[in-house]
Amino acid sequence: MNLSQRQDQPRLDLPVFIPAFGIAIIAAAFLVLRPEQAEAWAAHLMSLVTSQFGWLFVFFGFGTFIFALWLAYGRFGQVKLSRTDEPPEYSELSWAAMMFSAGIGIGLVSWSFVEPIYYLSSPPLHIEPHSAKAAEWGHMYTLFHWSFVPWALYAVPSVAVAYMLHVRRRPFLRISEVCRPLLGDRVDGWIGKVIDTLIILGLIGGAGTSLGLGVPLVSSLTTSLLGIEESMATRLGVIAFWTLIFGASAYKGLKAGIRILSDINIFLAVAIVLLVLFVGPTVFILSMSANSVGLMLDNFPRISFWLDPIKHGGFPDAWTLFYWAWWIAYAPLMGLFFGRISRGRTIRQMVLGILLWGSLGCISFLSICGSYALHLELSGTLEVSQLLSEQGIPATVVAIVKTLPFSQVVLAAFTLLSFVFLATTLDSSAYVLASISTKNLYGEQEPGKRNRLAWAFALALIAVGLLFANGLDTVKSLTIILALPLTVVLLLIFRSLTRVLNDDFGVAVQKDALIVAPATIEANNFDKETKNV
Ligand code: NM2
């Protein structure tokens, strides 16, 4: 093998891997060894970020939503994400299902029953706690935090990746590559490394919240199913079990198995939600859902920008900013995945598909589960809000699930659902972390096994750390702090997308004669920047 061949082999990208992995390990060690200090630091940094940059997050979220609409309905909406006239690679339904199971995870199950209950006790916009208005707004706000702005945050980087992958035909697994139209060959230098490192750190922050929420929940569900005591040991057991599964899947190629599990998960989620809808207070659930749609339509700009700048009550910081940060943290990862599976769609089909299917899925799930929990509370069947403040999310979720008929079966299904959601989110996170920290990884090539295991280990360590520095706030802080620099990276990606679209199609759309056929594409000389094809 000569030298140039050897240089093209996939290998660890040390300038990306070392700082990112180092910071992850140091953060995890700090959480384990000095949990109280870590908690205090995290709280301090979080309040610094939210107090100084809250405006940035809300402008960014709303701006991304408007940008997504412009992509769909603006001049480039008809651009097809492919070089040939082929139909979309996947049918609409399997495309939507794949996106949903990748884009959503343990977070949905954790919050579905309890988020409106939190808002009932500490409502937005200084509404009277535990009032009827607090219940209505609490229900709506949950849907707001999981629908249009969030899915737009996933949609835009996905279009950028899809364009570079299927039209420019750059075979890559790194986000820095998406910035090539803007930054040119500088993405091969330190700027590219910084972009990739920030993306890795952001994703660790996002996965941290999933772990911080998911591990105790899976542990509580499993122990309650088996009738044993929940403890630190069972939580550590969940992490160990997950690391084992991940190790096996990295070594034995269990990808197909995980894929089947994730398909089963969609069925389980639909079955559970339908059960809740039909055995629960159906009319109340449907009325709350309709009511919240109206409330949201009426107040969308208001709540998108509400920052409570005078009273500083803390609601936007703890919720809206946290949520935007959490979605931002996962956006590059989802961009890589959604971009890959969207060949053959137009930009409009892709953006509207992501916005509508994603929002519809989340709104249905959260609206049904949230209304059910609110009904339990308001009818006095179960003191959900008291349970939540005294015992936390996992115990409350278990108690709510137990109010359903066939509770053992539902509990088993819910446990499986949560476990698989946690496993698939982490599996894909570790996979992408390993891909980004590998050089010269093209097409369908896989990142090295040891690299994948190293990231799985780092995530497991962070999960352990978060168990020590107990508290939802530490978890949330980690996400918000690490997502802040990602807003700049995403802005670069967005600008890069408009640049490349203008370069390739600007003339065509100005003439109002956009014909996206292979011949036009060849004439546009797309390959001018394409290497390694
Ligand atoms: N999002 C969708 O754990 C998870 O559910 C992963 C979380 C960003 C809120 C995704």
Side-chain angles (χ1 to χ4, degrees):
M1 186 186 293
N2 66 32
L3 187 66
S4 73
Q5 258 175 331
R6 216 172 32 235
Q7 276 178 342
D8 265 339
Q9 294 300 307
R11 65 195 147 94
L12 204 57
D13 193 358
L14 291 176
V16 174
F17 181 81
I18 290 179
F21 194 77
I23 292 176
I25 297 295
I26 291 170
F30 191 44
L31 285 166
V32 175
L33 300 175
R34 296 274 166 86
E36 271 142 41
Q37 205 176 342
E39 254 180 271
W41 278 26
H44 177 69
L45 269 175
M46 162 156 161
S47 78
L48 198 74
V49 171
T50 51
S51 64
Q52 303 301 309
F53 296 101
W55 58 273
L56 176 69
F57 279 106
V58 295
F59 269 120
F60 186 76
F62 195 77
T64 306
F65 176 64
I66 299 294
F67 185 50
L69 290 183
W70 174 79
L71 279 175
Y73 291 109
R75 304 187 285 148
F76 301 112
Q78 296 294 11
V79 169
K80 190 168 174 167
L81 297 162
S82 149
R83 281 213 203 175
T84 60
D85 270 341
E86 66 194 322
E89 190 178 2
Y90 294 100
S91 73
E92 186 78 6
L93 206 64
S94 51
W95 179 69
M98 274 193 280
M99 272 185 334
F100 201 76
S101 46
I104 291 303
I106 188 77
L108 189 75
V109 238
S110 297
W111 292 113
S112 54
F113 288 115
V114 297
E115 192 170 333
I117 305 293
Y118 270 110
Y119 303 161
L120 185 67
S121 317
S122 341
L125 296 149
H126 308 290
I127 294 168
E128 171 78 17
H130 293 281
S131 60
K133 196 172 173 190
E136 284 187 28
W137 279 74
H139 185 268
M140 179 277 282
Y141 242 93
T142 308
L143 309 188
F144 169 66
H145 286 153
W146 290 83
S147 52
F148 300 103
V149 169
W151 286 90
L153 289 166
Y154 278 3
V156 180
S158 304
V159 171
V161 170
Y163 191 87
M164 294 303 283
L165 206 57
H166 305 306
V167 182
R168 284 280 181 128
R169 290 206 178 149
R170 303 258 342 152
F172 64 96
L173 286 162
R174 290 170 168 228
I175 284 283
S176 56
E177 191 62 44
V178 185
C179 300
R180 193 176 288 277
L182 186 67
L183 301 174
D185 287 342
R186 275 175 292 173
V187 294
D188 298 320
W190 67 268
I191 297 188
K193 310 275 180 227
V194 171
I195 291 176
D196 288 324
T197 309
L198 289 176
I199 286 172
I200 291 185
L201 292 176
L203 184 52
I204 290 174
T209 293
S210 305
L211 285 161
L213 285 169
V215 171
L217 179 65
V218 171
S219 165
S220 286
L221 285 164
T222 316
T223 49
S224 141
L225 191 68
L226 301 177
I228 53 175
E229 193 74 19
E230 213 266 341
S231 63
M232 186 61 118
T234 60
R235 294 177 176 197
L236 290 172
V238 169
I239 299 174
F241 190 57
W242 167 71
T243 317
L244 226 94
I245 292 203
F246 183 84
S249 105
Y251 267 95
K252 297 247 179 273
L254 295 182
K255 273 260 167 288
I258 290 191
R259 177 79 193 272
I260 294 170
L261 276 181
S262 107
D263 286 349
I264 295 175
N265 239 28
I266 292 282
F267 282 110
L268 273 181
V270 173
I272 289 176
V273 102
L274 287 180
L275 180 82
V276 175
L277 176 64
F278 290 115
V279 305
T282 313
V283 174
F284 177 76
I285 293 174
L286 295 175
S287 312
M288 282 300 282
S289 308
N291 190 65
S292 286
V293 170
L295 259 188
M296 181 149 64
L297 287 177
D298 209 12
N299 296 284
F300 190 67
R302 173 81 184 102
I303 55 180
S304 295
F305 287 103
W306 183 57
L307 278 180
D308 202 11
I310 311 282
K311 285 198 175 168
H312 297 295
F315 185 97
D317 318 36
W319 296 104
T320 308
L321 301 184
F322 153 67
Y323 264 115
W324 281 195
W326 198 14
W327 288 86
I328 286 170
Y330 274 100
L333 160 69
M334 296 310 159
L336 286 173
F337 180 68
F338 294 4
R340 192 159 284 273
I341 61 172
S342 300
R343 192 172 72 217
R345 284 167 198 279
T346 62
I347 290 183
R348 178 176 305 162
Q349 285 170 338
M350 188 175 173
V351 171
L352 294 183
I354 296 177
L355 283 187
L356 296 179
W357 285 117
S359 302
L360 193 72
C362 283
I363 287 180
S364 319
F365 198 93
L366 290 157
S367 180
I368 293 173
C369 294
S371 309
Y372 182 76
L374 278 171
H375 192 265
L376 288 177
E377 166 84 14
L378 299 175
S379 65
T381 317
L382 186 73
E383 307 260 323
V384 188
S385 138
Q386 195 182 339
L387 249 174
L388 190 59
S389 68
E390 283 169 9
Q391 298 187 30
I393 299 178
T396 311
V397 173
V398 171
I400 293 177
V401 172
K402 281 191 169 164
T403 62
L404 289 163
F406 320 111
S407 61
Q408 273 316 89
V409 182
V410 183
L411 196 63
F414 213 77
T415 309
L416 185 63
L417 182 75
S418 308
F419 188 83
V420 176
F421 261 150
L422 184 64
T424 47
T425 303
L426 293 173
D427 190 70
S428 45
S429 303
Y431 189 87
V432 167
L433 289 171
S435 306
I436 298 178
S437 49
T438 306
K439 242 181 176 167
N440 303 329
L441 194 65
Y442 294 117
E444 300 299 312
Q445 281 176 320
E446 301 227 320
K449 284 176 183 163
R450 268 181 299 174
N451 188 358
R452 284 158 65 187
L453 282 180
W455 282 113
F457 173 73
L459 288 178
L461 217 61
I462 288 182
V464 174
L466 288 170
L467 289 185
F468 283 88
N470 220 338
L472 197 53
D473 291 340
T474 312
V475 168
K476 283 178 157 184
S477 314
L478 195 71
T479 304
I480 295 186
I481 297 161
L482 294 173
L484 179 67
L486 268 193
T487 52
V488 179
V489 172
L490 285 169
L491 281 175
L492 286 177
I493 294 173
F494 297 177
R495 178 69 191 107
S496 196
L497 176 63
T498 54
R499 166 77 62 90
V500 77
L501 285 170
N502 264 312
D503 281 356
D504 294 348
F505 288 100
V507 178
V509 287
Q510 264 158 28
K511 286 193 193 133
D512 220 14
L514 179 60
I515 302 157
V516 190
T520 336
I521 289 171
E522 294 314 330
N524 269 334
N525 191 17
F526 282 163
D527 287 328
K528 60 191 173 214
E529 288 172 23
T530 310
K531 290 183 211 157
N532 301 312
V533 181

